[in-house]
């Protein structure tokens, strides 16, 4: 069992502004493949650049669409794990808590988190590839992308592809929360995907305590209080002591 410092428990009890920052490792504990692990079976011979760039969609929109439809079916079959539920319970206890996630699934919402900031979008949302207008969700078995009612462009997932910038409203909100946080708890992220990986660094520069829950070392080790172990075990144990 991971040793949890008493001083950390006391700091969390006293904190008014806590930020949770989650990555793919949290969802992986629910059995959801990471982005690269998702390229299995029919998709094993494809590189990320074949499936997750604007150029790939322009070149073969139906192939890219089918891959994301497959991913949506995979996502729909998993459920939140104890880490997701522990975060949601903490948010209910301290309403000023902010949750920033790099994940494109809905597991935080399904666990009860009211308003996660999705830095990389959501695999379940859609937008027009041409004009950017929001488009409705579609059945997971629809094999071809529908057309936009505004401009006639093709529907694409509303997620951040390689070569695209983060959604500015969400990025500004995440930065503001990082600058104001007293404690940041980084969970299940490699801390290598930029610019999202800046969030704990910005918080640390502003004086926050950075806590990291991860089974493996990451670049955050040098500035964080590190709790080694799976998120679904360590985080509920930590928060149960409050």
């Amino acid at each position: 069992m991971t040793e949890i410092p008493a001083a950390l428990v006391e700091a969390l009890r006293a904190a008014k502004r806590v930020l949770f920052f989650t990555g793919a490792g949290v969802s992986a504990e629910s059995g959801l493949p990471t982005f690269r692990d998702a390229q299995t079976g029919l998709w094993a011979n494809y590189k990320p650049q074949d499936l997750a760039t604007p150029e790939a969609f322009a070149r073969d929109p139906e192939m890219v669409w089918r891959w994301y439809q497959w991913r949506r079916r995979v996502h729909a079959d998993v459920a939140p794990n104890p880490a997701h539920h522990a975060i949601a319970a903490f948010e209910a206890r301290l309403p000023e808590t902010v949750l920033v996630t790099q994940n494109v699934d809905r597991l935080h919402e399904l666990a009860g988190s009211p308003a996660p900031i999705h830095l990389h979008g959501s695999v379940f949302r859609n937008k027009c590839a041409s004009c950017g207008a929001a488009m409705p969700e579609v059945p997971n078995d629809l094999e071809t992308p529908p057309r936009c009612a505004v401009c006639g462009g093709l529907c694409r997932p509303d997620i951040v592809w390689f070569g695209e910038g983060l959604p500015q409203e969400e990025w500004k909100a995440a930065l503001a929360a990082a600058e104001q946080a007293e404690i940041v708890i980084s969970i299940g992220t490699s801390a290598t995907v930029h610019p999202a990986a800046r969030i704990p660094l910005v918080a640390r520069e502003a004086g926050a305590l950075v806590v990291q829950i991860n089974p493996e070392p990451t670049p955050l080790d040098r500035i964080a209080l590190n709790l080694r172990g799976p998120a679904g075990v360590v985080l509920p144990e930590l928060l149960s002591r409050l």
Side-chain angles (χ1 to χ4, degrees):
M1 181 177 293
T2 302
E3 182 178 352
I4 296 175
L8 172 58
V9 175
E10 291 302 317
L12 278 168
R13 285 175 180 164
K16 300 300 182 185
R17 296 184 302 278
V18 176
L19 187 155
F20 290 94
F21 179 60
T22 64
V26 177
S27 297
E29 291 184 26
S30 287
L32 187 64
T34 63
F35 176 79
R36 296 183 187 281
D37 290 340
Q39 286 165 252
T40 60
L42 295 173
W43 305 102
N45 294 325
Y46 292 88
K47 299 176 182 178
Q49 291 78 6
D50 297 327
L51 301 165
T53 66
E55 294 78 15
F57 188 77
R59 183 171 59 249
D60 195 339
E62 290 194 3
M63 181 185 73
V64 172
W65 177 261
R66 287 195 301 272
W67 186 60
Y68 279 96
Q69 288 290 76
W70 173 77
R71 286 189 68 193
R72 286 165 171 162
R73 292 192 291 270
V74 171
H75 282 232
D77 287 339
V78 298
N81 64 57
H84 296 104
H85 289 295
I87 293 170
F90 187 91
E91 289 178 284
R93 174 180 173 273
L94 187 66
E96 291 184 47
T97 302
V98 176
L99 169 57
V100 178
T101 185
Q102 299 168 84
N103 299 334
V104 298
D105 54 65
R106 284 178 174 166
L107 294 179
H108 283 302
E109 288 91 335
L110 291 174
S113 290
I117 298 173
H118 283 272
L119 291 184
H120 294 156
S122 170
V123 75
F124 292 100
R125 293 199 310 256
N126 292 308
K127 67 180 181 180
C128 176
S130 298
C131 72
M135 296 182 67
E137 291 186 24
V138 296
N140 291 343
D141 58 357
L142 183 65
E143 291 297 309
T144 58
R147 293 281 178 177
C148 173
V150 176
C151 74
L154 289 175
C155 179
R156 56 159 280 184
D158 188 8
I159 64 174
V160 177
W161 280 336
F162 291 105
E164 294 183 324
L166 300 186
Q168 286 304 295
E169 183 176 341
E170 286 82 354
W171 179 236
K172 290 178 181 178
L175 285 176
E179 291 169 349
Q180 296 168 11
E182 298 165 61
I183 300 175
V184 171
I185 305 179
S186 176
I187 313 162
T189 173
S190 66
T192 59
V193 178
H194 288 272
R198 287 180 51 202
I199 293 300
L201 304 179
V202 168
R204 182 68 184 87
E205 290 170 0
L209 168 65
V210 176
V211 181
Q212 178 175 229
I213 298 175
N214 207 305
E216 303 293 337
T218 81
L220 275 184
D221 284 15
R222 61 185 178 81
I223 67 164
L225 170 59
N226 296 293
L227 303 179
R228 293 280 183 247
V233 174
V234 177
L235 185 61
E237 173 62 23
L238 169 62
L239 300 185
S240 71
R241 301 190 184 190
L242 302 182

